[in-house]
Amino acid sequence: MASPMRSLLADPDRYLQSFRLFLERSTEHQCMQEFVERQLPDVIASIGNGKSTINVLSVGGGAGEMDLQILSKIRARYPGAAINAEVIEPSADQISKYKEHVAQASNLENIKFTWHKETAYEYESRMNAEKKTKKWDFIHMIQMLYYVRDIPATLRYFHSLLESQAKLLVILVSGKSGWEMLWKKYGSSFPLEDLCSYLSSADLAKMLDSAGLKYQLYELPSCMDITSCFIEGDKDGELLLDFLTETLDFAKTAPPELKHQLMEDLRKPGCSETRDGKVFFNNNLSVIVIEP
């Protein structure tokens, strides 16, 4: 009898391992980097007009790779301004990696960093308790809204902190990605335990429409090589399956029928495409830029 399925987030080390493998096997960061290079300059074109200090808030900044690229673009656009960069990140391990990245970077003059080891909700609660409202010129949330319990409330709160020329930038999986198909079909079979919610740009656009907020949407094509998932007993393949299903040891603990069906669907055109004998999962992302 297979042991019951458990959420991957119950084992932070394995989660991090699977996440790092996902970054290695996918074009996740490359497609974001391309967006930062090509389109971010237009997005930030007016956020710092006439300001001597630009305030930037990263919500769920992780290890900071994308943050530092975003900050270098802001610095290039407003060379005379000081930048106050604050980071909300609940993982001590990720914060220490972020600090290492800052120490190694060479283009961060005029940028002052502050890290808050807390979740978005804890930050909001603390600011409310201290009766503080700090306004920001640029806020970004990259691949983190899945881990927020009340997404509309969190968006409302951070949107309320925007200055008049500011922008709130959100990156998450596209409504046109393989994730959308996986989650819609199998979400109820995975053991989430309230630790994570399935959310795509299609869901977020509906929330923003109903809140009457203005936004722009950009699609970022991305893929992930999941060929190893189809090799029985392959350690990397098992880790990637854990990441795809948010399930600890999915290959060993999922009911055989569920595993069989999921593996079949993973190969289908709605989820993946096969090129040169390899299977590439559709990891498309969306960037949503919300106006004040």
Side-chain angles (χ1 to χ4, degrees):
M1 168 102 183
S3 56
M5 290 161 69
R6 291 171 61 217
S7 169
L8 178 57
L9 292 163
D11 183 339
D13 288 343
R14 188 163 170 95
Y15 173 79
L16 218 52
Q17 236 186 316
S18 70
F19 175 63
R20 288 192 182 129
L21 185 63
F22 157 70
L23 289 181
E24 208 179 284
R25 295 285 169 89
S26 72
T27 58
E28 172 96 350
H29 273 178
Q30 293 90 312
C31 77
M32 289 188 207
Q33 283 160 351
E34 210 168 287
F35 175 84
V36 168
E37 280 302 315
R38 293 182 181 177
Q39 281 144 316
L40 189 70
D42 287 343
V43 171
I44 59 170
S46 63
I47 63 168
N49 284 352
K51 299 198 167 197
S52 56
T53 302
I54 298 171
N55 294 311
V56 179
L57 181 63
S58 165
V59 187
E65 296 99 334
M66 292 313 304
D67 285 24
L68 298 190
Q69 293 186 31
I70 288 169
L71 288 167
S72 73
K73 281 282 173 257
I74 294 173
R75 194 175 149 269
R77 176 69 182 78
Y78 302 100
I83 297 173
N84 165 43
E86 294 195 26
V87 180
I88 299 168
E89 169 54 54
S91 160
D93 178 59
Q94 293 286 76
I95 289 176
S96 76
K97 286 201 169 48
Y98 197 134
K99 290 178 177 175
E100 280 169 31
H101 286 135
V102 168
Q104 290 157 7
S106 58
N107 60 344
L108 302 175
E109 304 84 28
N110 294 354
I111 303 179
K112 174 181 169 283
F113 286 90
T114 311
W115 288 270
H116 304 284
K117 187 190 166 300
E118 55 196 353
T119 64
Y121 179 73
E122 286 162 351
Y123 174 86
E124 180 182 346
S125 304
R126 178 171 63 80
M127 295 304 270
N128 287 338
E130 293 170 9
K131 298 201 169 19
K132 284 185 185 164
T133 307
K134 184 164 183 180
K135 292 281 189 175
W136 300 91
D137 301 300
F138 191 64
I139 301 176
H140 58 83
M141 304 173 160
I142 298 176
Q143 292 288 48
M144 59 69 66
L145 276 177
Y146 320 108
Y147 307 106
V148 165
R149 277 176 192 253
D150 188 338
I151 294 159
T154 298
L155 281 170
R156 262 198 312 276
Y157 172 71
F158 286 101
H159 182 263
S160 76
L161 306 181
L162 292 176
E163 290 280 19
S164 60
Q165 299 287 311
K167 297 280 190 282
L168 167 57
L169 179 143
V170 177
I171 300 183
L172 75 174
V173 301
S174 166
K176 300 177 176 132
S177 67
W179 294 104
E180 176 84 343
M181 197 289 284
L182 263 191
W183 293 346
K184 290 282 182 278
K185 183 163 181 182
Y186 293 103
S188 58
S189 307
F190 299 151
L192 274 190
E193 296 158 13
D194 278 353
L195 294 171
C196 169
S197 56
Y198 297 128
L199 179 78
S200 73
S201 60
D203 304 314
L204 185 59
K206 280 183 198 140
M207 288 177 197
L208 296 173
D209 288 339
S210 70
L213 294 176
K214 278 196 199 138
Y215 60 90
Q216 286 157 311
L217 191 135
Y218 306 80
E219 288 287 331
L220 312 186
S222 173
C223 64
M224 165 170 52
D225 184 348
I226 59 168
T227 314
S228 59
C229 292
F230 301 95
I231 302 166
E232 198 64 45
D234 185 286
K235 289 279 169 278
D236 284 352
E238 289 182 357
L239 265 179
L240 285 178
L241 268 180
D242 284 11
F243 191 79
L244 283 163
T245 61
E246 292 274 353
T247 302
L248 191 58
D249 286 323
F250 178 83
K252 297 185 177 80
T253 64
E257 183 48 41
L258 174 66
K259 184 182 169 187
H260 173 73
Q261 209 180 351
L262 181 108
M263 298 307 287
E264 281 205 337
D265 280 339
L266 272 179
R267 284 185 183 273
K268 288 182 180 167
C271 242
S272 305
E273 64 171 326
T274 305
R275 295 196 302 268
D276 306 325
K278 291 187 166 185
V279 184
F280 292 94
F281 181 76
N282 177 335
N283 183 57
N284 289 3
L285 302 177
S286 295
V287 178
I288 295 185
V289 179
I290 306 166
E291 308 285 334

